Amino acid sequence: MLLNIFIAVIILLIVLITVIWYMSNKNEKNLIEAQERVDLIKLNKTQKLIDDLKDVQQTGASLRSYEKQKQTYQNIADEIIPSINEDIKLIQENNSSFKIISSHNKIKKQFQIIDNVKAQLNETNTNLASLAESTKINASQNDSLQNKYQKIRKQLLTKSFVYGPAASSLEAELVEVEQLFDKEKALTESGDHLEAKNLLEDIKKKTDIIDYQMKKTEPLYQDLIDTFPGQIEEIEHVYNKMKAQKFAFNEPGIEDGVMQVTNAIGSAKEKLGVFDFSSVEIDNKAIAIEIDQLYDLLESESNAKIKVTKQSNPVFEFLQHAQRQNEVLVTDLEKVDRNYVLLNDELDTARNFKKQIFNLSENYEDIAEKISKSSVIYSKVLSEYEKITSELTKIEEKQRQIHNDVQEMFDGERVARVSIKTFRNDMKKQKNIVDQMRLRGLPKSYLDYFKMVATEIDRLQDKLSQDKINIDDISKQLIIVQEDLNNLDQKTKELIYDVRISERAIQYANRYINNDENINAASIEARRLYDQRFEYNEAFKTIATALEVIEPGSIERLKASMDD
């Protein structure tokens, strides 16, 4: 048991010694690294920057910045770095005395201090370099800005007229820039280079703004002072010339439009004087559109006059042509009305067209008189001419339709007369066909239908012989008569068939009349119907019924023989 404890203690001591040796060795390496970092800190660069600026005259913010950077450097060089070196030595002694954990913590703190020193020194170097550079940059930037300022000033002095109401504002801004230059010069001479640098940045912003304002102002003012007024002058010149040529315009006219544009130009100039570029750009676009509309109005009226001049004679000739056409149509319809029934008020319609044409002619004459005696709005005249032409075209089309309808009446009459002749010939043919059969008589139904068709044809003839013919009614009656004739033709064919089939059936039944009472009785009845009543179809049905009883299928064979 004691042996195990002894062995455990020995092992623990070995582990402890090993850990102590490891940490001590690691601390030693970190101390070496910390010393190397301290040795790498370059103080000479900062010292040189301080020495370079020592003989430069400085005041104000520049001097305060220089003294602050110098103090920071001296504190690092004279106090902080020597203190770090002493601390590293002390930590090395403690580490050798096995104060391992405290040494480890102090080494970490030294690393943080070294990093802070390096950061402070870098910031100091940057500030000193910026201070040294500012003196050089200020001089260069001052020259550049002076050149730009002089260039802008010269342009404004020699071409102030191109900036109009904005010129005085631009001059006031240049005075402000000049005052800033004077202030910057005083700061530089006194050694306050940082404040001078800030002032130069303000001067640059100011000159950039002025340069932008001049570049924006010139083209906008050019439109307001030159382009637009020139266009307005041209519009007024053309307008006065057109007025002398008896042009008139719709309200609001050219004069109102010119006044509106002139007022808009004045308003835009005022806005340009305070550099309200966005509003001026919007106004200029609106002015350009209004001017284009004035040009369009002048051009529209000029073109309208050209068209009116070209269309005047054609419209007049169209009116004359329409009048002649209407006179002929009315005369023709009056004649037609004596002999024909006009169902669609064609004559009244044609007479109404005469009134319409007369009104259109009066309108044309009124326009012609106005053109010859006073100023007119030619676009309205052109619209009236187009309206007259449109109305005449519609009237002409309707008159043509009436003429066609009348022509169709004449054609309908000719067709009717030819049709009646054809119908009568068809009736004769039907009669001849029946007569050729030399029958003793005809069925009453057939005779009645034949007479009905004949009466219809006579009625048609009467209608065509009237003083006033109704072609519409006659045309409808023609269709009915044609259908009845077709039916009569079919009835004639059926009559011929019934006569022939009944004759054959009666003859065929003769072979049975001596041997069969039913056949004999049926034959006698069929003969009576055939010879006395002339009901040939009934005669066939009577004998056919009896034959089918005594000889089934005999009737079908008879019918088949009729087709051969």
Side-chain angles (χ1 to χ4, degrees):
M1 181 67 180
L2 292 173
L3 180 61
N4 290 336
I5 294 171
F6 178 75
I7 291 171
V9 170
I10 294 299
I11 292 171
L12 183 62
L13 287 172
I14 292 171
V15 171
L16 183 62
I17 292 170
T18 302
V19 170
I20 292 171
W21 176 84
Y22 173 77
M23 291 186 67
S24 175
N25 189 48
K26 184 177 180 182
N27 285 345
E28 188 65 30
K29 288 181 179 179
N30 286 336
L31 286 168
I32 293 171
E33 182 181 350
Q35 188 62 58
E36 288 177 349
R37 288 191 184 184
V38 173
D39 294 342
L40 287 173
I41 295 174
K42 296 179 179 180
L43 297 175
N44 291 339
K45 180 179 179 181
T46 308
Q47 184 63 55
K48 185 176 185 306
L49 288 170
I50 292 172
D51 292 342
D52 290 341
L53 289 169
K54 184 170 60 176
D55 298 329
V56 177
Q57 183 181 0
Q58 299 185 55
T59 60
S62 296
L63 181 59
R64 288 193 295 273
S65 178
Y66 173 75
E67 291 296 339
K68 180 181 178 182
Q69 310 311 319
K70 181 179 178 181
Q71 185 178 356
T72 300
Y73 166 73
Q74 287 175 343
N75 184 46
I76 291 171
D78 298 341
E79 295 182 13
I80 297 177
I81 289 180
S83 175
I84 293 172
N85 289 329
E86 286 296 325
D87 288 343
I88 290 174
K89 289 179 181 179
L90 183 60
I91 294 169
Q92 283 177 333
E93 292 174 0
N94 289 336
N95 190 56
S96 300
S97 302
F98 301 106
K99 296 178 180 180
I100 297 167
I101 295 175
S102 63
S103 295
H104 175 73
N105 292 333
K106 290 178 180 179
I107 291 170
K108 286 177 64 178
K109 185 177 180 181
Q110 289 303 312
F111 275 126
Q112 292 175 352
I113 294 171
I114 293 168
D115 288 340
N116 290 336
V117 167
K118 287 174 68 177
Q120 288 182 11
L121 201 59
N122 287 336
E123 183 180 357
T124 299
N125 288 342
T126 300
N127 292 335
L128 288 171
S130 175
L131 194 59
E133 188 68 20
S134 66
T135 59
K136 298 177 182 178
I137 292 175
N138 285 0
S140 174
Q141 190 173 14
N142 182 284
D143 291 341
S144 175
L145 289 173
Q146 279 285 357
N147 290 334
K148 185 173 184 179
Y149 164 76
Q150 292 299 334
K151 183 180 178 182
I152 291 173
R153 183 172 181 76
K154 181 180 178 182
Q155 184 173 355
L156 183 59
L157 289 173
T158 57
K159 297 176 63 179
S160 61
F161 59 89
V162 303
Y163 304 107
S168 58
S169 299
L170 291 168
E171 288 173 0
E173 289 180 336
L174 283 177
V175 170
E176 292 180 11
V177 172
E178 188 173 1
Q179 291 172 351
L180 290 176
F181 271 122
D182 292 341
K183 190 175 180 181
E184 185 271 338
K185 182 180 180 182
L187 289 171
T188 300
E189 289 176 351
S190 67
D192 196 348
H193 302 290
L194 286 180
E195 284 298 322
K197 180 182 179 182
N198 293 335
L199 207 55
L200 285 172
E201 290 177 355
D202 290 342
I203 292 172
K204 183 179 185 304
K205 290 178 183 177
K206 279 279 187 183
T207 52
D208 286 345
I209 290 172
I210 295 171
D211 186 49
Y212 168 78
Q213 290 171 339
M214 292 174 71
K215 288 177 179 177
K216 290 289 288 185
T217 299
E218 184 173 354
L220 291 173
Y221 186 66
Q222 182 69 22
D223 285 340
L224 293 171
I225 196 65
D226 186 18
T227 305
F228 296 153
Q231 291 173 330
I232 290 298
E233 183 179 353
E234 183 181 29
I235 287 170
E236 287 180 325
H237 174 73
V238 174
Y239 171 67
N240 291 329
K241 190 175 179 181
M242 291 177 72
K243 278 180 64 179
Q245 297 173 357
K246 296 184 178 181
F247 278 88
F249 296 86
N250 287 312
E251 297 295 334
I254 298 295
E255 292 176 359
D256 291 337
V258 167
M259 184 178 295
Q260 187 174 340
V261 170
T262 302
N263 292 337
I265 290 173
S267 175
K269 286 180 181 178
E270 292 178 3
K271 294 176 183 177
L272 191 60
V274 294
F275 305 121
D276 188 358
F277 298 123
S278 59
S279 294
V280 176
E281 286 173 345
I282 292 171
D283 289 348
N284 280 14
K285 288 180 181 178
I287 290 168
I289 291 172
E290 289 179 22
I291 289 175
D292 286 342
Q293 289 173 347
L294 293 175
Y295 273 119
D296 291 342
L297 181 56
L298 292 172
E299 185 180 9
S300 174
E301 289 302 321
S302 178
N303 291 338
K305 182 178 181 180
I306 294 171
K307 291 179 181 178
V308 165
T309 303
K310 288 182 178 179
Q311 292 184 20
S312 181
N313 284 337
V315 172
F316 176 76
E317 291 173 359
F318 198 176
L319 282 165
Q320 296 296 312
H321 172 72
Q323 286 175 343
R324 289 192 297 270
Q325 270 194 332
N326 181 259
E327 288 172 2
V328 172
L329 181 63
V330 170
T331 301
D332 289 344
L333 287 175
E334 287 174 348
K335 293 177 181 178
V336 170
D337 188 53
R338 289 195 288 270
N339 299 311
Y340 296 88
V341 176
L342 298 173
L343 298 176
N344 299 315
D345 298 325
E346 286 88 350
L347 183 56
D348 290 340
T349 302
R351 287 169 177 165
N352 187 49
F353 288 156
K354 183 177 182 179
K355 295 177 183 178
Q356 292 181 35
I357 295 169
F358 176 78
N359 292 334
L360 293 173
S361 296
E362 280 198 330
N363 186 24
Y364 174 83
E365 289 172 3
D366 289 343
I367 292 170
E369 185 176 0
K370 288 178 182 178
I371 292 174
S372 64
K373 292 183 178 181
S374 62
S375 299
V376 295
I377 301 172
Y378 281 97
S379 58
K380 284 189 176 180
V381 173
L382 181 61
S383 177
E384 286 298 315
Y385 277 6
E386 290 172 348
K387 181 180 176 181
I388 291 171
T389 301
S390 176
E391 290 298 317
L392 289 175
T393 301
K394 292 177 183 177
I395 290 172
E396 186 178 50
E397 179 60 32
K398 290 176 181 177
Q399 290 192 151
R400 185 182 296 110
Q401 184 61 49
I402 291 173
H403 174 78
N404 293 339
D405 291 344
V406 171
Q407 190 60 45
E408 286 180 4
M409 282 200 309
F410 296 152
D411 294 340
E413 181 187 5
R414 284 193 292 272
V415 169
R417 294 188 184 281
V418 171
S419 296
I420 288 174
K421 290 180 181 180
T422 303
F423 294 161
R424 292 193 185 283
N425 289 333
D426 288 345
M427 292 292 286
K428 288 179 181 179
K429 289 179 182 178
Q430 299 293 328
K431 187 175 182 303
N432 290 335
I433 290 171
V434 174
D435 288 345
Q436 287 175 4
M437 297 182 67
R438 300 182 182 279
L439 298 172
R440 293 183 180 181
L442 296 171
K444 185 177 183 303
S445 60
Y446 179 83
L447 284 172
D448 289 344
Y449 198 86
F450 188 93
K451 290 176 182 178
M452 181 201 72
V453 175
T455 300
E456 287 178 349
I457 295 172
D458 291 339
R459 192 180 296 121
L460 261 179
Q461 182 66 60
D462 291 341
K463 288 183 177 182
L464 277 172
S465 301
Q466 292 175 359
D467 293 336
K468 242 182 174 181
I469 300 173
N470 188 333
I471 293 299
D472 185 68
D473 182 48
I474 290 172
S475 297
K476 293 176 182 177
Q477 197 63 37
L478 280 173
I479 296 171
I480 295 172
V481 172
Q482 182 63 62
E483 290 178 355
D484 290 342
L485 268 173
N486 293 338
N487 291 336
L488 180 61
D489 180 66
Q490 182 62 32
K491 289 180 180 295
T492 301
K493 291 176 181 178
E494 291 173 357
L495 173 63
I496 294 170
Y497 180 83
D498 289 343
V499 168
R500 290 177 178 174
I501 192 69
S502 59
E503 285 179 348
R504 289 195 181 187
I506 291 170
Q507 290 174 3
Y508 190 83
N510 286 338
R511 66 184 67 186
Y512 298 111
I513 58 176
N514 295 325
N515 300 325
D516 191 295
E517 291 182 0
N518 289 332
I519 287 291
N520 185 45
S523 178
I524 292 170
E525 177 60 18
R527 180 60 66 181
R528 185 185 70 81
L529 290 170
Y530 185 94
D531 292 334
Q532 297 176 17
R533 300 288 303 276
F534 318 121
E535 296 294 341
Y536 305 107
N537 184 260
E538 289 299 321
F540 169 68
K541 289 179 181 178
T542 300
I543 195 64
T545 302
L547 279 171
E548 279 299 308
V549 172
I550 195 170
E551 187 182 340
S554 59
I555 297 304
E556 288 300 322
R557 289 194 297 276
L558 281 173
K559 288 180 178 180
S561 67
M562 292 288 292
D563 296 332
D564 295 340

